[in-house]
Amino acid sequence: MIKSNRFSWFLFSSPQSFYPLAGALQPWFALLAVALCAAGLYIGFFVAPTDAQQGESYRIIFIHVPAAWMSMFLYLVMGFWSGVGLVLNTRLSSMVATALAPTGALFTFIALWTGALWGKPTWGTWWVWDARLTSELILLFLYIGFMALQAAIDDPRRADKAGAVLALVGVINIPIIYFSVQWWSTLHQGASVSMKSAPTMAATMLLGMLVMALGFWMYSIAATLARVRCVILERERHTDWVAAEIGAQK
Amino acid sequence: MIRALGWVLRRDLLLAFRRRGDVVNALVFFIIVVSLFPLGVGPEASQLRNMAPGVLWVAALLACMLSLARLFAPDHQDGTLEQMLLAGEPLVVLVMGKVIAHWLVSGLPLVLMAPLLGLQFDLPGDALAVLCVSLLIGTPLLSLIGAVAAALTLGVRGSGVLVALLVLPLYVPVLIFGAGSVGATAAGTGAEAHLLLLGGFLALALVLAPWASAAALRIAME
């Protein structure tokens, strides 16, 4: 630990000092996640009114829409930490990026899966090649590519940097992919079904969705902190402090 | 810098010429994949005409992707790449030379072969011309984006499959506008918008991709 009168922002950029901080913060974020998700689900399933056109089946959007938001947001966060790791050469930033990827992929998958469940009763089909669906699917491929690349490289520092370059290339590409897919489906034919034609939402529905989004956000932080702790222990297993940490837990 | 570019270009082209089999293989792969589709979906001309842009473009993507393994791996194995990194010339220029050589060897033959295959799919003349132009703009883009993925997976376990996983999602915009331009011509709406967008992507990739590939090569050779 650095002893200095001035608080150093770089104090927690060292895995050793971040590890206990993450451990201390993680339960609180997990608790917040459970509380917010419970509140959001309660609002979504019991308080929000039944939709006039879609009936009860619309209620899956309380999971679907926040998951889709998080899936895109987490990729940007991952790209940010990858960039920081690449530029400042901080090990912890890259570890955070590595820890974010599975959560992002999970939310992408949830968004696709719940979207299919919602599409069947509403559109009458599990899948349409709509712009949003397609770009979400490609986002899932990008997450999988990132994880596969990092898993295939044995040297962790090289895996970090290679993953960072890929994540940054992905960040530049995401707007291009998103708009090209959108133009692709609109140029072909008018989308027969579109999210935009959904009726304007009642206030309680919006509230439920926002609370769920916050809950998912807290969950992402909690899961990432838990995972980054594992990554730190694995990478730093040759150091004395990890040996002491493990010894203390035994 | 120009001399370094020319040197890499001449060297890679010479090497490719000495191993003509590799070049021909990618082209034959392209032809075979395209020829399999009528066998799979039936020989009805109107259906084939609709499918042709997509089929030809997807086959071009795959053929280009397969040849990515030859971009850096042989130089990595015999140590040439290490010398290139140590050389006084900027790595970006050397990468650019290799990408141009890769395009001349694996992209250009596809462009030249495409009209013949388009005829098999009963594409009309104007659509054939647009197909050629779109491939002419699009295949350098494939080489540029592919170079980043090839550099990232250099010397990595199972890099062949990994390259596909990394590069195919990034190829999506090229596929959409490449195949879209031919489709738009057939539909009578004109291909200019698609081709201009492809050209825009090419300009962007020309600036960014060699730089990203060079960074990835440095990471791989650390």
Side-chain angles (χ1 to χ4, degrees), chain B residues 4 11 14 20 38 57 96 105 111 113 126 163 177 183 200 210 214 221:
Chain B
R11 172 181 173 276
L14 189 65
R20 280 174 291 252
W57 258 99
M96 197 67 214
V105 168
V111 180
M113 188 51 82
D126 54 343
V163 161
F177 292 110
M221 301 295 287

Side-chain angles (χ1 to χ4, degrees), chain A residues 79-125:
Chain A
F80 171 76
W81 284 118
S82 294
V84 170
L86 205 57
V87 173
L88 299 180
N89 211 8
T90 43
R91 281 175 303 159
L92 187 63
S93 319
S94 310
M95 292 183 194
V96 172
T98 308
L100 275 165
T103 310
L106 173 74
F107 277 125
T108 317
F109 182 75
I110 290 176
L112 285 169
W113 190 259
T114 53
L117 290 180
W118 179 77
K120 187 62 185 169
T122 317
W123 296 340
T125 167

Side-chain angles (χ1 to χ4, degrees), chain A residues 145 152 154 158 161 180 184 187, chain B residues 154 156-157 176-177 194 222:
Chain A
D154 290 325
R158 192 191 155 189
K161 290 181 180 171
S180 60
W184 160 69
L187 282 175
Chain B
L154 197 59
V156 165
R157 254 181 290 122
I176 287 176
F177 292 110
H194 290 90
E222 249 172 26

Side-chain angles (χ1 to χ4, degrees), chain A residues 86 138 141-142 144-146 148-149 151-154 158 161-162 165-166 169-170 172-173 176-177 179-181 183-184 187, chain B residues 145 148 151-157 162 165-166 169-170 172-173 176-177 194 197 201 204 208 212 215-216 219-220 222:
Chain A
L86 205 57
I138 294 166
F141 294 156
L142 288 175
I144 292 174
F146 179 85
L149 179 65
I153 303 177
D154 290 325
R158 192 191 155 189
K161 290 181 180 171
V165 170
L166 182 68
V169 171
I172 297 172
N173 244 285
I176 298 178
I177 292 175
F179 285 111
S180 60
V181 168
W183 289 331
W184 160 69
L187 282 175
Chain B
I145 300 173
V148 182
L152 280 173
T153 55
L154 197 59
V156 165
R157 254 181 290 122
L162 199 55
L165 203 59
L166 299 189
L170 301 178
V172 166
I176 287 176
F177 292 110
H194 290 90
L197 276 166
F201 293 154
L204 188 69
L208 294 179
I219 291 166
E222 249 172 26

Side-chain angles (χ1 to χ4, degrees), chain A:
Chain A
M1 290 270 208
I2 308 157
K3 292 279 181 223
S4 118
N5 295 330
R6 205 163 54 84
F7 179 76
S8 168
W9 285 105
F10 289 105
L11 175 63
F12 290 114
S13 67
S14 129
Q16 184 183 355
S17 48
F18 185 74
Y19 181 82
L21 177 74
L25 289 178
Q26 198 253 337
W28 294 103
F29 281 111
L31 205 66
L32 267 176
V34 171
L36 283 167
C37 284
L41 285 178
Y42 179 77
I43 296 173
F45 284 137
F46 298 107
V47 180
T50 305
D51 188 88
Q53 290 165 21
Q54 301 172 21
E56 301 292 347
S57 67
Y58 92 94
R59 290 185 195 275
I60 202 160
I61 66 161
F62 290 109
I63 295 169
H64 173 72
V65 175
W69 283 342
M70 288 313 296
S71 68
M72 287 182 265
F73 176 63
L74 285 181
Y75 197 94
L76 292 181
V77 176
M78 196 175 87
F80 171 76
W81 284 118
S82 294
V84 170
L86 205 57
V87 173
L88 299 180
N89 211 8
T90 43
R91 281 175 303 159
L92 187 63
S93 319
S94 310
M95 292 183 194
V96 172
T98 308
L100 275 165
T103 310
L106 173 74
F107 277 125
T108 317
F109 182 75
I110 290 176
L112 285 169
W113 190 259
T114 53
L117 290 180
W118 179 77
K120 187 62 185 169
T122 317
W123 296 340
T125 167
W126 297 108
W127 181 264
V128 289
W129 288 96
D130 178 70
R132 279 164 193 250
L133 280 75
T134 315
S135 48
E136 191 75 9
L137 185 67
I138 294 166
L139 186 65
L140 182 63
F141 294 156
L142 288 175
Y143 273 121
I144 292 174
F146 179 85
M147 290 192 284
L149 179 65
Q150 291 212 320
I153 303 177
D154 290 325
D155 173 24
R157 289 302 286 149
R158 192 191 155 189
D160 282 347
K161 290 181 180 171
V165 170
L166 182 68
L168 289 177
V169 171
V171 166
I172 297 172
N173 244 285
I174 277 183
I176 298 178
I177 292 175
Y178 183 77
F179 285 111
S180 60
V181 168
Q182 215 162 30
W183 289 331
W184 160 69
S185 79
T186 44
L187 282 175
H188 256 263
Q189 66 207 20
S192 49
V193 273
S194 152
M195 303 273 288
K196 285 173 196 146
S197 65
T200 42
M201 258 183 277
T204 40
M205 293 187 193
L206 189 64
L207 179 73
M209 234 148 73
L210 288 178
V211 172
M212 278 305 287
L214 271 178
F216 279 0
W217 197 342
M218 295 303 123
Y219 165 77
S220 309
I221 297 176
T224 306
L225 286 178
R227 204 172 288 120
V228 86
R229 271 163 66 90
C230 295
V231 175
I232 289 174
L233 281 188
E234 206 182 331
R235 298 256 183 107
E236 307 276 296
R237 60 179 176 273
H238 56 276
T239 58
D240 291 340
W241 74 267
V242 170
E245 181 76 28
I246 304 283
Q249 279 179 5
K250 268 181 187 164

